[in-house]
Amino acid sequence: MPVEPLSRTEIESRLAELPGWTLDGDRLTRAYRLDSHIAAAAMVVHVARVQDELDHHSDLTLGYNTVSLSVHTHSAGGAVTGKDLELARRVEDLAPAHGAH
């Protein structure tokens, strides 16, 4: 079942519920700061598991004490879809358990 791109208005409306997430061109992006490299690495593993559950994967970057995500839907021509917002919501829900801010 193909996924449909969302309008900019719908994306911005739904981003209001996801603090820290922004629309950067054709991608949703978010960076988190954590207390240590180990905490950041643990969060990356947790995010990777969620991405596998959703069968939807972001560009996921591990820094010393940071985790950054950038996501859009390739099958929708690189546009933002509901799948991207669902992934963002799931990551936002798990971030506090890792001490991410």
Side-chain angles (χ1 to χ4, degrees), residues 20-84:
W21 285 87
T22 60
L23 181 61
D24 184 11
D26 64 349
R27 293 174 171 263
L28 298 182
T29 62
R30 172 77 153 94
Y32 295 92
R33 182 167 299 279
L34 295 98
D35 292 335
S36 69
H37 183 65
I38 294 297
M43 183 171 166
V44 165
V45 171
H46 198 168
V47 170
R49 286 186 180 153
V50 168
Q51 290 179 142
D52 278 351
E53 286 174 19
L54 296 174
D55 192 26
H56 191 60
H57 301 82
S58 68
D59 291 335
L60 181 58
T61 305
L62 171 63
Y64 171 72
N65 65 342
T66 60
V67 174
S68 300
L69 294 94
S70 175
V71 64
H72 63 181
T73 303
H74 294 283
S75 63
V80 173
T81 69
K83 291 177 78 168
D84 304 305

Side-chain angles (χ1 to χ4, degrees), residues 89-101:
R89 185 195 59 76
R90 293 277 305 269
V91 172
E92 197 62 26
D93 288 347
L94 69 82
H98 294 278
H101 46 87

